[in-house]
Amino acid sequence: MRRAVLYITIFFALCFGFKAQSQNAVTEYDVKLNSLQNSSREILNNFINGPQSSAFVNDDQQPKIYVRSGENINTLFLKKPSDFTLITQDYANEISTIKVLNIEWNGSDVFNFPNNLLSILPNLEYVYVRSYQNLSKQTIETNFQNLLALLSSKSGVEVLYLTMEQPQ
């Protein structure tokens, strides 16, 4: 009997232990910043919000890239679920250097990404979801299940979120 209990305990520990290891951190952006030392905080803030070479879809629904001299494209900005497809169709080779997937979420759109997301963006380090809607870890886990499932195969990709202030 003791042996059976021991095996069951080990089984659950292994199952939940591996599951916990494969999950990526979902953290509020300000909490992440406050957990860092000054220099690291500045680096992350500049990396996420600073002037970056980027890919985006403009107001005319045209995919565009902005590349600063001597830089790789580091950030991919998405406002609509269709933006990812538009950008990858025109700039598949150029976006392989993307480190930040920056999603401005309206609170209702469903972003579905292809199963080969991590082969399209092999250098991805952060997913940054920002919205005027009230965001929480649970909101991100519920509304971005597909994305989190895709990211679970690569450790080290952090998911950060920020509730933006309404413009006045």
Side-chain angles (χ1 to χ4, degrees):
M1 179 70 173
R2 276 189 177 166
R3 186 171 267 173
V5 171
L6 177 65
Y7 287 130
I8 291 171
T9 304
I10 291 172
F11 173 76
F12 280 112
L14 289 173
C15 288
F16 291 114
F18 286 124
K19 183 178 181 193
Q21 287 179 347
S22 68
Q23 292 179 344
N24 298 79
V26 176
T27 311
E28 186 174 8
Y29 179 68
D30 291 334
V31 170
K32 175 68 176 179
L33 277 183
N34 291 332
S35 72
L36 299 172
Q37 299 296 326
N38 286 341
S39 60
S40 297
R41 182 180 309 137
E42 203 171 304
I43 290 168
L44 177 62
N45 193 38
N46 189 46
F47 193 56
I48 297 291
N49 294 311
Q52 299 287 328
S53 294
S54 58
F56 56 94
V57 174
N58 68 13
D59 292 337
D60 296 328
Q61 295 303 298
Q62 298 299 311
K64 299 288 181 187
I65 57 172
Y66 166 72
V67 182
R68 294 170 55 145
S69 179
E71 284 187 8
N72 292 322
I73 300 172
N74 291 324
T75 305
L76 175 56
F77 288 98
L78 304 178
K79 287 188 175 185
K80 297 178 183 173
S82 60
D83 289 356
F84 187 82
T85 302
L86 290 171
I87 292 168
T88 55
Q89 287 174 345
D90 285 7
Y91 298 111
N93 294 331
E94 291 88 343
I95 64 170
S96 65
T97 58
I98 295 291
K99 293 182 179 181
V100 178
L101 180 57
N102 189 320
I103 301 170
E104 185 175 324
W105 185 51
N106 66 9
S108 62
D109 282 344
V110 176
F111 283 82
N112 288 310
F113 294 92
N115 289 336
N116 64 339
L117 173 69
L118 293 174
S119 62
I120 296 170
L121 306 176
N123 296 306
L124 188 63
E125 294 178 21
Y126 295 98
V127 174
Y128 180 53
V129 180
R130 53 198 176 92
S131 179
Y132 292 112
Q133 307 299 315
N134 191 22
L135 294 179
S136 67
K137 181 177 179 177
Q138 183 177 2
T139 303
I140 299 299
E141 289 173 344
T142 301
N143 292 285
F144 291 89
Q145 289 178 7
N146 167 264
L147 177 59
L148 294 173
L150 294 172
L151 296 176
S152 69
S153 66
K154 180 182 179 184
S155 63
V157 178
E158 289 187 69
V159 179
L160 305 173
Y161 62 90
L162 176 75
T163 302
M164 299 185 295
E165 292 184 25
Q166 289 286 346
Q168 303 220 6

